[in-house]
Every structure is written in C-alpha cells, then in structure tokens.
Amino acid sequence: MDEVRPTTGAQAHGLASIFPPGLQAIYGECRRLYPEQANPLQVTAIVKYWLGGPDPLDYISMYRNIGNQPQDIQEHWHYVSFGLSDLYGDNRVHEFTGSDGPSGFGFELTFRLKREVGETAPPTWPAELMQGLARYVFQSENTFCSGDHVSWHSPLDNSESRIQHMLLTEDPQIQPVQTPFGTVSFLQIVGVCTEELQAAQQWNGQGILELLRGVHMAGGPWLITDMRRGETIFDIDPHLQERVDQGIETEGSNLSGVSAKCVWDDLSRPPEDEEDTRSICIGAQPRRLSDKDTEQIREVLRKGLEFNTKAALPPISAQRHGHERPQSRKDSLESESSAAIVPHELVRTRQLESVHLKFNQESGTLLPLCLRGRLLHGRHFTYKSINGDTAITFVSTGVEGAFATEEHPYAAHGPWLQILLTEEFVEQMLGDLQELNTREETKLPKEYSWPEKKLKISVLPDSVFDNPLQ
C-alpha cells in the first residue's frame, strides 16, 4: 500500500460520470461530513485485489475531525474504507445481485483515532488494521454487525499499548447510503483492553459499548480510540463492573460462538476402527460440512467472531454463495430439509456413547462463559475449528432443532458434534471448571473428566493444534 492524494473536490464532481458509482456514493457521504476536505490523504492498494493484490480494500480515506468540545468529543482522525461494498457493479469483486439488497458485504469499516498534540498527519497503521479485518471477511465470508467483537491479541498499532482488541458499532456520523448496487452501512472499529473484551464476551458488546460512551478517557460519545489509554473502564470507575455482573446474571451472554482451536474424538469407537467419526461421509469424499450445516454454523458465529491469531485465517473460498446474512434462528438450530443437500454431501447423524473434547487455552477459558452465560439461559454455543470443518455445539434442553437429545446427548452430523447438557450437569461442570475463570495462566495440559457422563475435556497447548488432523 502507498499514500496518495485523490482527485480534488472540483475535479471529482467533473469526473462523476466516469467514477465507479459505488465509490462515488461513499465519497458523496464523506463530502457531506467534510466539505472542507475534498482532497483527504488516502491509502490505496497499489495492486488491486481484483488484479491479484493482497489487500481487499481499494482505498482508505483519512479525515481530520475537530470534534465538539461542548459534547465532550475530542479532536481525532477519521478513517473510512472502500471495498467491502460493491464499488464497481461489474462482478470484478462482488457479485451484483441488484440494488434492493446489500451492496457487496453490505458495509464499510470506519475508525476514529485520538489526534495527539502536534500531530499534523494521520498515522497510517489503522489502514493495515482495516485491511486485516477486510481479509478476514473476504476469506471467511463472515460479516460483521454492531456489537461484534474481534479478539486481536496484539496492540492494534504494534506498540506496547493495552488496546489489543476491538468492538464494532455503528459510526455515529456517517449515514447508510443507497448505491446503484445496494445499501452500504458503516461500522466503526473501537479499540478496547483485554478486560473490556472479556466483559463483552461474558455479557454483550452493546452493553460494553454503552459503558465506554460514558467514560471520556475510554472514547466518549463517539467512541474515539486512544492508544495511550492505560486504564480499563473498570479501573476508572469500579462501579461499572457491578453493572456488567448484573447484566450477566439477568441477561446472560449474547456471544453465540467463536472460531477456535478445537477437536473432538469419539471414545465409544474402538481405536483399531479406522473410520473417522468426525467426518462420516458416503463414499470416499473429503471430510467437509454440507452447505446447509456451514450456513447454520455461520449463523451461530454471526454475533461473536473470535480471531485466535492474526495468521490463522481460513483460505479464500472458491466462490461465495450470497452476501446476505442468514435470518437469525435465535435459540433454534433447525436446518432446512436435507433433501436440498447434494448427494456427495450426504452424511448420517450418529449417536455417540462417549466423547473427548480438546481445546487450546484461549478456547478453554471460554467454557465457563459457554455454560453460565449461554446454556443456563436456555441457549447454545458453538466452537468452530480454524483448522478445518470440525465444529462443537453445546446446547441446552430448551434449544429447538438440535439433533442431540436428552436420551442421546452426544450426536455427530459429519464433523459437527452437538452436546446436550442438562441444567444440573451444567452446574456441576461450572464447579469443576472454576479454575478456568482465573486470569492466571493455567499449567497445561489440563484434563477434566465426568466418567458417569462419559465426557472428557482436555485443555492443551497451542502446538497440539498445529496439525489440523491432530
């Protein structure tokens, strides 16, 4: 990527007829906000994504926002992406499906960074951060929505900052735009500390965003990221932790799933049996989830996306099967008729007698959240492996459409395992897994076993998962 200055405002209006319509629509909204900055600094992909380049975003524009002191809004830099939506309408990047639905993925990213004293030009590192998120969207086909969180595990600017993760929310200024290729909304990245991310996981992202808006040092009304912030909102105002605890108790968590390092084994099958029950496919087809199961799990993951490492991104799929998000099933896992599944994807659901679940440390520490914040509130929670099609879904007895039942609590549909846990067993597991709630590093490997339930869980080092067939 390189910095360039785009065409001046007057010239841009004169060349509107040859500007790509999607690009022009977003430029128009930016000009509405910044009429005096018709020629902002811009980071552009030198080799465009549709020509084989690595960066999905064609451009990131950078504006200086003077803020609003009476409203407690500090001066900052405002970044806007171009490329997650359909800029061209000619199928070079996004399939054009008409103007009634979303344009491309239906959104662009924005970011607000506190302007430091004496800074005369915007830092460019946020552009690479936005490109990284865009790569994830293009490669995984998972889209973002307000309240989502991204666990990044590294200072966003590669410094020593405590701001190492992100929440997403609607941009407070940029309005959704209608383009000839569909609608585009604008999601703002908000940098947060680890403790704030964990609170969002355990409760919900919208609740934490609202708390951040009320703390000037943590972003204020427009959620401006300050990379020099050294205190969490709970350090600044300890009473906020009580609000989070109360929210968890009364509402539970709205995090319905994460991408994770995990595998599962069928302990009821003899070791000498070579059939891999994690992928029971008819014929000699490679292990894979059906399109229907994949869409179902994507919906489970929709509200909570988890990056375990920035490098562990799935490969780009050969084609996308549509850009609209599936309709939320809430607390239902009911899928469409299996008749719609093509023959080479046919799998049979199998009841298992005994299973062994394996998680890395980060995924393991989310087990108490899964149990307390989801299953005790009648919901479900899914771990989707970043190393393949393996998926593990925990369901409570109140979840509709699950293929695991109280009579057969462990059931596999190809590489997708469902585990149904009763409320009594969930309470027992929470007591046994209590040490996973601590923020201290747990000595690995760690094993938990419930022989009467024929269930075993291991928390293992990351190295165990380097081999996807482990």
Side-chain angles (χ1 to χ4, degrees):
M1 293 189 299
D2 196 9
E3 291 180 35
V4 298
R5 287 186 178 273
T7 311
T8 65
Q11 290 173 316
H13 284 292
L15 293 175
S17 61
I18 64 172
F19 263 34
L23 186 69
Q24 187 66 23
I26 300 174
Y27 271 147
E29 176 63 13
C30 292
R31 283 194 297 270
R32 181 187 70 80
L33 288 181
Y34 301 104
E36 305 302 319
Q37 299 181 59
N39 188 31
L41 280 174
Q42 194 174 68
V43 174
T44 181
I46 297 175
V47 180
K48 297 295 186 283
Y49 194 66
W50 37 276
L51 292 175
D55 299 319
L57 302 176
D58 282 8
Y59 313 100
I60 297 103
S61 289
M62 303 177 286
Y63 298 91
R64 182 169 176 172
N65 192 305
I66 62 173
N68 188 317
Q69 191 170 1
Q71 295 183 25
D72 195 29
I73 298 166
Q74 54 196 325
E75 188 171 354
H76 59 278
W77 304 109
H78 192 191
Y79 301 75
V80 183
S81 78
F82 297 79
L84 284 162
S85 63
D86 191 350
L87 305 179
Y88 305 99
D90 57 6
N91 296 314
R92 72 179 72 180
V93 179
H94 301 279
E95 180 184 354
F96 176 56
T97 57
S99 60
D100 295 335
S103 169
F105 287 108
F107 70 97
E108 294 289 352
L109 293 170
T110 73
F111 183 59
R112 295 176 186 267
L113 177 67
K114 179 184 176 183
R115 177 178 173 268
E116 300 296 341
V117 176
E119 231 172 24
T120 58
T124 58
W125 62 261
E128 180 53 38
L129 182 73
M130 295 166 85
Q131 290 285 14
L133 292 176
R135 290 186 202 105
Y136 170 79
V137 172
F138 273 84
Q139 293 169 349
S140 70
E141 302 176 35
N142 289 321
T143 56
F144 294 128
C145 66
S146 181
D148 281 348
H149 74 268
V150 178
S151 179
W152 196 249
H153 301 289
S154 177
L156 304 188
D157 61 353
N158 295 316
S159 66
E160 299 298 318
S161 175
R162 290 187 69 178
I163 308 300
Q164 302 188 9
H165 310 282
M166 292 166 271
L167 298 178
L168 290 128
T169 187
E170 296 95 347
D171 190 284
Q173 281 188 298
I174 306 185
Q175 298 298 312
V177 298
Q178 178 68 47
T179 80
F181 315 131
T183 57
V184 183
S185 60
F186 296 85
L187 288 178
Q188 180 177 316
I189 300 164
V190 181
V192 296
C193 303
T194 298
E195 294 83 354
E196 294 154 358
L197 171 84
Q198 292 170 342
Q201 292 174 329
Q202 294 165 10
W203 182 24
N204 63 71
Q206 296 290 8
I208 300 304
L209 287 164
E210 193 57 37
L211 297 184
L212 288 165
R213 288 187 182 97
V215 180
H216 173 80
M217 293 174 58
W222 286 5
L223 295 170
I224 297 162
T225 298
D226 180 2
M227 294 304 297
R228 296 189 179 184
R229 174 162 69 96
E231 294 180 302
T232 71
I233 56 172
F234 309 113
D235 296 328
I236 298 169
D237 183 354
H239 295 293
L240 295 182
Q241 184 62 56
E242 298 175 11
R243 292 178 61 181
V244 174
D245 293 339
Q246 183 179 7
I248 295 171
E249 182 67 26
T250 58
E251 303 168 23
S253 171
N254 74 346
L255 178 66
S256 54
V258 294
S259 297
K261 292 184 178 179
C262 63
V263 295
W264 62 270
D265 291 321
D266 176 8
L267 297 183
S268 54
R269 183 171 293 279
E272 63 271 14
D273 193 325
E274 295 181 356
E275 182 179 354
D276 184 353
T277 59
R278 286 172 295 178
S279 182
I280 309 169
C281 298
I282 293 179
Q285 300 296 331
R287 72 180 69 200
R288 59 173 298 181
L289 287 169
S290 74
D291 286 346
K292 300 298 179 184
D293 288 344
T294 298
E295 287 303 314
Q296 219 171 312
I297 291 174
R298 277 197 190 131
E299 168 60 20
V300 171
L301 293 175
R302 182 176 69 81
K303 290 185 180 178
L305 302 171
E306 179 83 3
F307 286 66
N308 287 49
T309 65
K310 286 186 284 185
L313 294 176
I316 298 175
S317 299
Q319 58 182 181
R320 244 180 286 143
H321 299 286
H323 311 296
E324 291 192 47
R325 293 179 178 216
Q327 183 178 356
S328 174
R329 297 183 178 85
K330 296 185 179 178
D331 296 311
S332 170
L333 287 171
E334 187 173 358
S335 62
E336 297 179 9
S337 169
S338 59
I341 303 174
V342 297
H344 77 270
E345 291 175 326
L346 284 174
V347 292
R348 60 188 175 93
T349 300
R350 181 168 182 265
Q351 284 76 43
L352 312 179
E353 293 297 322
S354 178
V355 294
H356 183 190
L357 313 180
K358 302 175 185 178
F359 302 96
N360 74 332
Q361 181 157 15
E362 181 184 4
S363 302
T365 58
L366 291 175
L367 284 168
L369 157 67
C370 161
L371 299 173
R372 179 179 292 107
R374 296 294 296 177
L375 270 66
L376 285 183
H377 291 265
R379 301 169 186 168
H380 54 80
F381 189 90
T382 292
Y383 289 92
K384 172 67 176 67
S385 173
I386 62 174
N387 291 326
D389 273 349
T390 298
I392 302 169
T393 296
F394 292 88
V395 300
S396 65
T397 52
V399 173
E400 299 177 358
F403 48 78
T405 65
E406 289 192 61
E407 183 180 3
H408 299 288
Y410 313 131
H413 190 75
W416 183 9
L417 174 69
Q418 285 188 11
I419 298 179
L420 187 145
L421 302 176
T422 63
E423 183 175 341
E424 180 182 7
F425 189 25
V426 168
E427 295 283 7
Q428 179 185 347
M429 292 179 68
L430 279 170
D432 296 336
L433 299 173
Q434 190 171 5
E435 63 183 325
L436 295 178
N437 278 319
T438 65
R439 293 177 181 174
E440 298 178 1
E441 290 286 319
T442 303
K443 187 176 180 180
L444 302 180
K446 203 74 181 177
E447 190 167 292
Y448 307 89
S449 182
W450 298 269
E452 72 284 2
K453 299 292 186 180
K454 299 183 180 179
L455 174 65
K456 184 163 70 172
I457 294 177
S458 295
V459 182
L460 305 169
D462 277 22
S463 57
V464 173
F465 300 90
D466 289 342
N467 178 358
L469 297 181
Q470 177 70 33

